[in-house]
Amino acid sequence: MRYHRNRIANYRETREYDAQRAANQNSLFVGACFLLFAVMATYKEASLATRPKTLDPAEYFNLSPDYRRAEEKRAALRAQLKRQYLQQLNNPHRKELIEDPALTRWTYARTNNNYFRPTAKTSLIGGLFGVLPLFALYLVFKTDRDKREAKIKAGTYERPYKLST
Amino acid sequence: MLKVLIPTIMLFPTIWLTSPKWLWTTTTAHSLLIASISLTWLKWTSETGWTSSNMYLATDPLSTPLLVLTCWLLPLMILASQNHINPEPISRQRLYITLLASLQTFLIMAFGATEIIMFYIMFEATLIPTLIIITRWGNQTERLNAGTYFLFYTLAGSLPLLVALLLLQQSTGTLSMLVLQYSQPLQLNSWGHMFWWAGCLIAFLVKMPLYGVHLWLPKAHVEAPVAGSMVLAAVLLKLGGYGMMRMMVMLDPLSKELAYPFIILALWGIIMTGSICLRQTDLKSLIAYSSVSHMGLVAGGILIQTPWGFSGAIILMIAHGLVSSALFCLANTAYERTHSRTMILARGLQVIFPLTAVWWFIANLANLALPPLPNLMGELMIITTLFNWSPWTILLTGLGTLITAGYSLYMFLMSQRGPTPNHIMGLQPFHTREHLLMTLHLIPVILLVTKPELMWGWCY
């Protein structure tokens, strides 16, 4: 995740630098969104297709300019992530797995127990499965063995197996 | 004993004076030579007693199988480490093999010791090389945490043991196992004596590990490099079992009452850790928890103090040592290729590595105690003697066997069967060295089917 953020941070610096110099935009998607909100005329969908929601001006009819700017930034992030993934996916020399940060997070969460919190429910489960069986088993074994010991002392215990040792 | 100990000590000059081109060849050959010499210990001169040339180092039918296992494991550890240590500078490679050889020396002296205090000193001494191996050559940042847990759990358990041994020396005047086995039973009837009893055993129970104090084991096994995992799983856990078997001789009759909590913890631990195995995503963690499960069975067998329990415990210790080490080697081969221990990332391997799938198959079948392998022999003896002790234990041990079969098959099916993902297709093929490593692990297990008397201990 840090890798993605660094890339986007670099991009953002580049973008602000470009904006300062009023240079061309880097990404076609970002350019389209920016121009859409500025001009709303450059994107033209195919003749029988519907316009995607993120580029439909009707969707943003009653939203504030702040929200539109935030939405534009999020679209830029998504576009960058998608671009990075597609670059890796279509690289003909790639042999290894594309690193999935969600998988890394999942394995880390599964193997490290930092995500355990003692609540009432977990304490009940822990006590029921971890503490209660120990005492229950102690009672079971102790009574069984004491009964056998009493029978041995009284002389009534029949040995069920004939073991030589 | 000296015919093995002196070549092992001479392994240090071998490591440091060989030219870098021949380092691995020479050390592997030297340690294989030591392993073959150690096989001569299996010929016992007296039927049940000690074989010794002096008063301080001796072998008997209990320690001999463990000694042979230790000596056999060193060449295997060196074989397994060859690949991942190769990129490092030559002096660091020599240091790594030196740590393995020093571990070997301490273990031989520990298993061969006749004085319990010498066993204790060697028991503690094995902690240092293992700690260095885990914290220096482990692969993730969690290795520091793992080293801390490993060191402090074992040290905290063994400090009471030191006090207990000194008290024993005060009361009986000797700590030699040769003498203590003939001593009068001790008068153990007060609260202080109960603490002494607990102090004698807690160190070994932590090392085994017993279910309640097992937290160090998954961390240490997972974070250690392959040789560290092998020696931990195969031999260091057995130090705990061996120590318990030696100490039990003089702890009667208090053990009848005081052993109940530990037997119950061990039996319940089989089921709990087996169930945890079914939910693991990390392959080495699964094998580590399966070690806890098997050792719970061993602890239960020892604490019952019957002949079948002891024999079953030794057989299971030897068989588990070889099989668990084999499984860690297989997990390491997957890790070296995919650089991840996640099970779902390395699946469907049977299609591309068919011979290795055979090793996975045999190792997993051995882990789930398939007859006629010695794993079943040991487990069956312990389960039978536990049933004799109290018939209700069959519920726990039977369920434990079922869960063991469950997670062993889960491990096999997850890693070998199923569709092979695309990123696995381009992996490096298996080296002859790795196949040799697996055969050297699994052939002794299969050969032990034919002559189990080597492992039965002094009860037969």
Side-chain angles (χ1 to χ4, degrees), chain B residues 50 169 312 396 452:
Chain B
W50 296 81
Q169 163 84 6
L396 296 172

Side-chain angles (χ1 to χ4, degrees), chain B residues 235-246:
Chain B
V235 189
L236 290 177
L237 300 188
K238 285 47 177 183
L239 265 180
Y242 175 75
M244 262 169 68
M245 283 202 255
R246 290 292 187 206

Side-chain angles (χ1 to χ4, degrees), chain A residues 95-97 103 106-108 110-112 129 133-134 137-138 140-142 144-145 148-149 161 165, chain B residues 142 256-257 260 264-265 268 272 279 281-282 308 342 344-345 387-393 396 423:
Chain A
K95 286 196 301 261
E96 68 276 352
L97 192 62
L103 183 65
W106 179 79
T107 50
Y108 191 74
R110 283 293 289 256
T111 52
N112 297 39
F129 281 94
L134 303 177
L137 287 171
Y138 180 78
V140 166
F141 291 146
K142 200 81 171 70
D144 182 52
R145 299 268 299 164
R148 188 187 297 190
E149 187 71 24
Y161 318 110
T165 52
Chain B
E142 287 87 12
K256 231 158 60 112
E257 308 302 319
Y260 277 92
I264 291 167
L265 270 173
W268 188 241
M272 292 297 279
R279 293 285 296 164
T281 56
D282 183 337
W308 274 40
T342 318
I344 52 178
L345 280 184
F387 182 71
N388 188 24
W389 183 78
S390 169
W392 295 96
T393 55
L396 296 172
H423 66 273

Side-chain angles (χ1 to χ4, degrees), chain B residues 390-435:
Chain B
S390 169
W392 295 96
T393 55
I394 197 77
L395 295 171
L396 296 172
T397 50
L399 190 62
T401 313
L402 190 67
I403 298 179
T404 306
Y407 67 69
S408 295
L409 283 178
Y410 169 65
M411 194 186 349
F412 175 67
L413 295 174
M414 190 59 139
S415 60
Q416 304 302 117
R417 297 285 161 86
T420 312
N422 273 334
H423 66 273
I424 301 271
M425 293 290 191
L427 288 181
Q428 234 187 18
F430 260 68
H431 307 283
T432 315
R433 172 186 63 89
E434 288 162 339
H435 287 306

